[in-house]
Amino acid sequence: MPLDDRFDDLVASLTGFYRAWVIQLGIELGLFARLREAGPGGLTRDGLALAAKAAAEPVSAWCDAAYAADLITDDGSRVIVDPDVATILLEKDRTEYLGGQFTYTVTASLDYDRMAEYLRTGVPVGSRSARYYRAIEELTRQDIAVFFEEALAAMPDLVADLVRGIDVIDLHCGGGRWLAAIARRFPKARLVGVEPELESVTRATQLVQRAGLGSRIRVEAREVDEDLAVGSFDLAYFQHALHEMPDPVVALQATWRMLRPRGRLIVLGWCLPDGLDGYASLHGQLIAGVALDELFHGVRLRTVAQHAELFRAAGLPEPEAIPLPSDATLLVARRDA
């Protein structure tokens, strides 16, 4: 690449940093939401600040930055958000939803003052703030949409079982959103969530109670280990969570023991590419950044083949790997009858 082109390429990285913050601020302060509510007529800059209950001067500066980043239009008197931008950043039940990705990425970066030390020593951070775990819950909203729109489409027999009513456990359930979504979609399903992070357990419990699902969803504050109930579940589910386990092999073994005959173990996650060529794409660039953050956190993403190695080490059958349109992957293993 010629020097001038490489220079422009690296300048684009700088603008991407600011663009990510402009997007997150627009989400957090409700600026995109207020513009969407205003419709094609948009709002004046002062009107946007008033609607968002924010200060006029910095909101006007945000509008300049959002316009420069091609996130809004401005005819000189009113600002308007593009409907597709609003869909991608605000509609949390769609597979195209990226608002949670921006929330997670910006929030995670607030801890990066310790990243250089990690690279020097190889010692990951011992803990991260509560804001980090709240951001993960926003990130995984997209995973929930992927499960309903893509994973279930790939597994129609699972849909039939959920309609009939089965016992389901969600391992590292976070704030419980997947559990609540399953309970609403499949009224006969019986659900348990396991989550070690206490603030997440509190949010999950509150969500379940607000939704009136307390009779069908139980949330337990604990890790995935050998003390979990044996032979009690028909579906055990890890949503972008297996790599977060202190020992994934032990977690797989404990999970396998929980399953009844013909029970399924399903891992929904975002796997690393098998080779360097796989990083030469937008998805590859994104997953590489996430992988570095996960190592900083003390865990690591894996390729499909490396996941299969974990299953073998745990004494489980080789999982079926199902690639999904969103670039996520389903790993599915089923107990013999």
Side-chain angles (χ1 to χ4, degrees):
M1 183 183 292
L3 177 62
D4 287 348
D5 291 345
R6 179 59 75 186
F7 179 86
D8 290 344
D9 174 59
L10 294 177
V11 169
S13 296
L14 287 173
T15 61
F17 168 82
Y18 288 112
R19 195 179 199 224
W21 269 99
V22 167
I23 289 171
Q24 169 54 18
L25 291 168
I27 293 170
E28 184 175 345
L29 296 179
L31 299 171
F32 289 121
R34 302 294 82 76
L35 287 173
R36 189 185 206 190
E37 290 166 1
L43 293 168
T44 64
R45 294 184 176 210
D46 285 346
L48 175 59
L50 183 63
K53 299 179 180 178
E57 184 176 8
V59 166
S60 182
W62 178 89
C63 288
D64 287 338
Y67 176 79
D70 196 26
L71 299 169
I72 62 173
T73 59
D74 189 338
D75 64 4
S77 62
R78 304 180 80 82
V79 292
I80 302 162
V81 66
D82 179 83
D84 289 342
V85 169
T87 294
I88 292 167
L89 297 180
L90 299 178
E91 292 194 16
K92 300 178 179 181
D93 296 327
R94 297 179 64 120
T95 57
E96 300 90 350
Y97 173 63
L98 287 180
Q101 291 273 8
F102 282 101
T103 297
Y104 169 80
T105 300
V106 168
T107 301
S109 72
L110 296 176
D111 295 326
Y112 283 8
D113 58 329
R114 295 177 284 172
M115 181 66 84
E117 184 65 17
Y118 165 64
L119 292 178
R120 279 192 289 265
T121 66
V123 178
V125 293
S127 63
R128 297 181 85 161
S129 64
R131 71 186 178 219
Y132 175 81
Y133 296 101
R134 290 193 295 270
I136 286 178
E137 290 176 24
E138 290 302 310
L139 171 72
T140 54
R141 283 178 180 268
Q142 183 188 25
D143 299 348
I144 296 172
V146 166
F147 178 83
F148 279 98
E149 293 190 27
E150 298 180 0
L152 290 183
M155 303 183 68
D157 54 337
L158 175 59
V159 175
D161 288 344
L162 287 166
V163 168
R164 172 174 54 83
I166 57 175
D167 291 292
V168 179
I169 185 165
D170 181 7
L171 292 316
H172 273 220
C173 68
R177 295 186 185 278
W178 183 83
L179 290 166
I182 288 287
R184 294 187 187 102
R185 174 82 172 267
F186 302 104
K188 293 184 179 180
R190 300 167 297 277
L191 302 141
V192 175
V194 171
E195 170 58 49
E197 207 272 317
L198 293 181
E199 186 174 325
S200 295
V201 171
T202 298
R203 287 196 298 277
T205 302
Q206 291 172 344
L207 174 65
V208 168
Q209 295 304 322
R210 286 197 305 270
L213 297 169
S215 63
R216 296 177 49 219
I217 301 175
R218 185 174 79 253
V219 179
E220 299 181 2
R222 60 181 305 163
E223 191 49 88
V224 181
D225 55 35
E226 65 274 6
D227 294 330
L228 288 166
V230 174
S232 300
F233 297 98
D234 305 291
L235 170 61
Y237 181 61
F238 288 97
Q239 180 173 273
H240 196 61
L242 180 61
H243 70 284
E244 296 278 354
M245 303 293 130
D247 188 330
V249 170
V250 170
L252 285 171
Q253 291 170 334
T255 303
W256 197 245
R257 287 192 294 268
M258 287 186 269
L259 292 176
R260 295 176 178 133
R262 298 191 62 77
R264 293 180 185 84
L265 191 163
I266 295 179
V267 177
L268 173 65
W270 305 83
C271 296
L272 292 176
D274 291 320
L276 290 177
D277 289 348
Y279 289 102
S281 66
L282 283 176
H283 173 71
Q285 292 178 48
L286 178 60
I287 201 69
V290 173
L292 176 59
D293 182 83
E294 295 285 12
L295 283 173
F296 175 59
H297 188 50
V299 298
R300 69 186 184 95
L301 299 183
R302 292 174 172 84
T303 65
V304 170
Q306 288 169 338
H307 276 96
E309 290 174 7
L310 290 180
F311 276 67
R312 285 194 294 271
L316 275 59
E318 182 101 359
E320 178 187 6
I322 304 173
L324 300 177
S326 59
D327 287 322
T329 301
L330 278 181
L331 300 167
V332 184
R334 189 160 186 166
R335 287 197 73 109
D336 293 335

